[in-house]
Amino acid sequence: MTDTLETAASIPEGEASRSAAAELDAVLRQRLGGFAPRDDRLAALHARFVRSAMDADAVDVAYRTVDSPVGRLLVCTTTVGIVRIAFDVEGLDTVLDRLAAVISPRIIEAPDALDTAAGQLDEYFRGERRSFDLPLDRRLSRGFQRTVLEHLPEIGYGATESYASVARASGSPKAVRAVGTACATNPLPVVVPCHRVVRSDGAPGNYRGGMAAKQTLLALEATS
């Protein structure tokens, strides 16, 4: 750990290289076995490097975790907007590795950058928010999937639509299976409400966060 601290101390605040902060973040997560430094000294160093990286325009993806009734959520943002929300069951390190490959390896844990998103998610899970007002980066959705996902916010809070209905609304009435795939691979679950899409017989259908998570979200909206 000493070499990590010396590396951190050697780079002045505001003068971080484009990779130093992201590298430090990865080292801290690996050595501490988690997403957040466990003592005050490391927390202060991490906060310092987050500020330096942001000031140096050296971060392409910032992330934090949020506790929720459906488990821990990973929330990631770019300068455009929220780009990925992931459930614990997806493997949060796996998701970060994937983002590093498809967007940029310049990723760092920066909770303050996601305060608004975290606050809106907390309000939603308390039953106090029925829609989200967050900028979204939709680069991980393309083609028909993007068409489907752009329709989903039109499904009202507490309401549901069938996969067949969403297929018709998306301009491809026969693409019911493709709608299911689009929902199951939604990179922005909860905020983009794919949980409101169910089977024609009323059964919930598959969900990226697991069946229990989908049922929890539907029950939350039904009782709020």
Side-chain angles (χ1 to χ4, degrees), residues 15-206:
E15 299 180 13
S17 72
R18 287 188 173 271
S19 61
E23 289 173 358
L24 177 66
D25 186 66
V27 169
L28 288 174
R29 285 193 290 111
Q30 180 182 31
R31 296 198 178 190
L32 294 171
F35 285 91
R38 293 179 184 170
D39 63 45
D40 292 342
R41 187 181 181 196
L42 287 174
L45 283 170
H46 191 274
R48 172 182 170 184
F49 268 80
V50 169
R51 292 193 302 270
S52 296
M54 295 293 190
D55 290 346
D57 193 25
V59 176
D60 292 322
V61 180
Y63 72 88
R64 70 174 290 167
T65 57
V66 175
D67 291 330
S68 82
V70 292
R72 185 173 57 158
L73 299 175
L74 175 69
V75 186
C76 307
T77 190
T78 66
T79 56
V80 175
I82 307 301
V83 70
R84 185 74 164 88
I85 297 174
F87 295 93
D88 217 354
V89 295
E90 296 181 68
L92 304 190
D93 279 321
T94 299
V95 173
L96 291 173
D97 288 344
R98 178 61 178 163
L99 291 177
V102 301
I103 296 180
S104 169
R106 302 194 306 171
I107 298 176
I108 197 167
E109 183 178 17
D112 291 351
L114 286 143
D115 275 349
T116 299
Q120 291 194 20
L121 284 166
D122 285 343
E123 291 168 357
Y124 169 80
F125 287 119
R126 291 197 303 266
E128 299 170 359
R129 172 175 289 275
R130 298 195 167 205
S131 62
F132 292 90
D133 182 19
L134 296 168
L136 302 180
D137 184 339
R138 295 182 179 271
R139 75 179 74 185
L140 299 180
S141 302
R142 297 180 178 85
F144 183 67
Q145 181 195 37
R146 184 159 179 168
T147 300
V148 169
L149 298 183
E150 287 177 345
H151 165 71
L152 299 187
E154 297 176 17
I155 306 173
Y157 183 96
T160 60
E161 284 188 14
S162 68
Y163 292 100
S165 176
V166 173
R168 290 192 295 272
S170 299
S172 298
K174 296 182 179 180
V176 177
R177 182 170 295 181
V179 169
T181 300
C183 291
T185 56
N186 176 13
L188 294 166
V190 183
V191 171
V192 175
C194 56
H195 59 275
R196 297 175 190 162
V197 185
V198 300
R199 291 170 46 177
S200 296
D201 62 4
N206 294 328

Side-chain angles (χ1 to χ4, degrees), residues 2-13 24 41 45 48-49:
T2 301
D3 57 336
T4 303
L5 298 178
E6 289 175 350
T7 299
S10 68
I11 303 178
E13 185 171 356
L24 177 66
R41 187 181 181 196
L45 283 170
R48 172 182 170 184
F49 268 80

